[in-house]
Amino acid sequence: MIYDLIVLGGGPAGYRAAEHAGQHGMRVLLIEERSLGGVCLNEGCIPTKTLLYSAKLYDGARFGKAYGVTAESIQLDHGAVVARKNKVVKTLVSGVAMSMKQHGVTVVYGKGQLLSKSAEGFSVSANGETYIGKNALVATGSHALVPPIPGLKEALAAGIAMTNREILDLKEVPASLCVIGGGVIGLEMASYFASAGAKVSVVEMLDKIGGQTDSEIAALLQKHLEQMGVTFHLGAKVTKLSGGTVYFESKAGNGEVSAEKVLVSIGRRANTEGIGLEALGAVVTRQGLATDEFMKTSVPGLFAAGDVNGKSLLAHTAYREAEVAVNVMLGKKDRMDYSAVPSVIYTNPEISSVGETEETAKAKGLSIETKKLSLMYSGRYVAENEGGQGIAKFVFEKDTRRLLGISMIGNPSSEIIFGAAAFIGRRMRAEEIQKIIFPHPTVGEVIREAMF
Ligand code: NAI
C-alpha cells in the first residue's frame, strides 16, 4: 500500500501530524524508535511537571503556616514522586497510542530511515521493511547537547553527570546537585531538587539566568531560588569536570563546585543524523532541518515539524507546525506564525512570557512604551500568594498601543499566558483588550488592568 503520509517520530509533532492527517482521511504510517509521546511525554514536559507539582504541594504544606495550615513531619518521598511520574507518563503514552488507533494511523516501532524518492513517493525503511509514502514528515526531535568539556564524558559514563533523561529517574534525592546551564531545564530541575532537599548550585555562562527571559523577572526568580537555598555562579564557563567537581572560570576568578550529581542542561541539538536526509539532499543547517513557513524542506513532499527544525523547541510550537504541514499537504491555506509563541518556565513561582520583552524590542529598534504592574493588583493573587512578589511587564507599540509582549512571574501565570498570546497574535490594541470581560477574581485580570 502507498501511504499518503509517513511520519518519522512519535513526539508532539509526529503524533499531532498523524492525528490531524488521519482525521482528514489520509492513510498514515508513523514510525517511532522508542516510545510514543517523544521527549515531551517521556522525559520532558510531563514528567518534570509531575515532579514540580509534588514539590509545590510539599512546599505548600511546609510553608502553610501563613495560610493557617500547619502539619507535622511533612515529607517528600522522592521514590513515590518518581513512581507517580511513571504512572502519569504511562497513562498519557497509552492515550497517544489510543488516539493513533482512533485516527486509523498505523504505528511501527523501529528506526525509520529515508531511502530515496521516486515518482511514487518516499521509500522509508524500518525494521527491515520498506514503506512508500507520497509525503514524508520528519519529526525526529532533539537530544541533549553534550559539549566536549574535559571529564564530562567520563562523569556521564560513571552516572555522576546526567542529562534531562537520567535525572528524572534518580532513585534518591542527591545530597548535592550541580546544574550546568541556567536555562529552562536547569531552572526547573534546580527548583524541584532544592524543594526536595538537595543543595543545588547552578553554573551559568551568561550574566543572567533564563536565557531570553526579561532580566528583572529572571533576577526575581533567582532571588526566590536563592531563598530556597540555591547558589548561582553567573558569567561562569565550565572548563572541566573531575568526577562530581565542576571547574569554571569567570570574571571574578576561577571556581569549583563539588556535588554528588551533575546535570548538563546547556541546550539541545536537532536529530538530523542517520535518517537519510543526506541521500535526499535536504538542506540541514547547524540549527536543524531547514523549513519554510509552510514546514516544507528543500525536498518537495518532505516536511519537518518540531524540534528537528531547530526553530522553537517547544511542544506547543510542534503541534501547530505539524498541523500547518498537514494542512499544506491537504492543499489548505495555512502558514506558521512564530510571533506569538508563549513560553513558560514551570519553577515555583512560574515565569510566563509571550512576544517581545523590553530588551528584545529595543534590540529590534521598535518604538515602544512599557508598563509594569505588581500582581498584587489581582485580589486572587493576594489571596493565594502570601508575601508574593509577582510582577507583570507589558510592551506596547508606542503610537498604536498595540500589545507586543507580556512577561510575568507568579502563579499561575502559565494558565493565563495563552490569553496574552491570543491578543498579541491577533495584533490587538490596548483599547480593544479593555473591552474584553475577564472573570473576577483571577490573576489574569492584571492584563486587563494594564490596558488602561
Ligand atoms: P537552554 O537553551 O534553555 O539553556 C541553556 C543554558 O546553558 C543557557 O543559559 C546557556 O547560556 C548555558 N550554557 C551554555 N553552555 C554553557 C557552559 N559551557 N557552561 C555553563 N552554562 C552554559 O537549554 P536547556 O535548558 O537545556 O533546554 C533545552 C530546550 O528545551 C530549550 O530550548 C527549551 O525551550 C526546552 N524546554 C522547554 C521547557 C518548557 O517549555 N517549560 C522545559 C524544558 C526544556
Side-chain angles (χ1 to χ4, degrees), residues 69 100 129 141 193 203 224-225 239 266 287 291 348 352 354 410 428:
V69 177
M100 294 301 101
E129 295 279 331
F193 281 99
V203 182
H224 188 86
L225 290 173
T239 50
I266 64 156
Q287 192 187 24
T291 48
N348 188 14
S352 307
V354 58
M428 290 176 79

Side-chain angles (χ1 to χ4, degrees), residues 367-424:
S367 174
I368 57 162
E369 188 182 301
T370 59
K371 194 163 189 173
K372 178 168 93 180
L373 286 185
S374 162
L375 294 190
M376 301 293 272
Y377 271 95
S378 154
R380 174 85 177 275
Y381 182 81
V382 178
E384 295 182 356
N385 294 272
E386 186 65 38
Q389 295 177 340
I391 56 169
K393 295 181 79 173
F394 302 82
V395 179
F396 298 95
E397 192 172 56
K398 195 163 191 166
D399 298 330
T400 61
R401 291 207 82 221
R402 187 160 69 83
L403 185 62
L404 298 179
I406 299 188
S407 302
M408 308 172 85
I409 178 166
N411 296 337
S413 59
S414 61
E415 292 291 348
I416 297 166
I417 202 68
F418 81 95
F423 303 151
I424 292 167

Side-chain angles (χ1 to χ4, degrees), residues 45 48-49 147 149 180-186 188 203-206 208-211 236-238 264-268 312-314 316 343-346:
C45 322
T48 51
K49 263 77 274 174
I149 296 173
I180 305 178
V184 197
I185 294 179
E188 290 186 355
V203 182
E204 164 58 49
M205 196 166 67
L206 302 178
K208 68 184 267 271
I209 57 167
K237 193 167 188 302
V238 174
V264 191
S265 50
I266 64 156
R268 299 184 67 82
S312 159
L313 286 93
L314 293 166
H316 43 278
S343 92
V344 176
I345 307 178
Y346 294 84

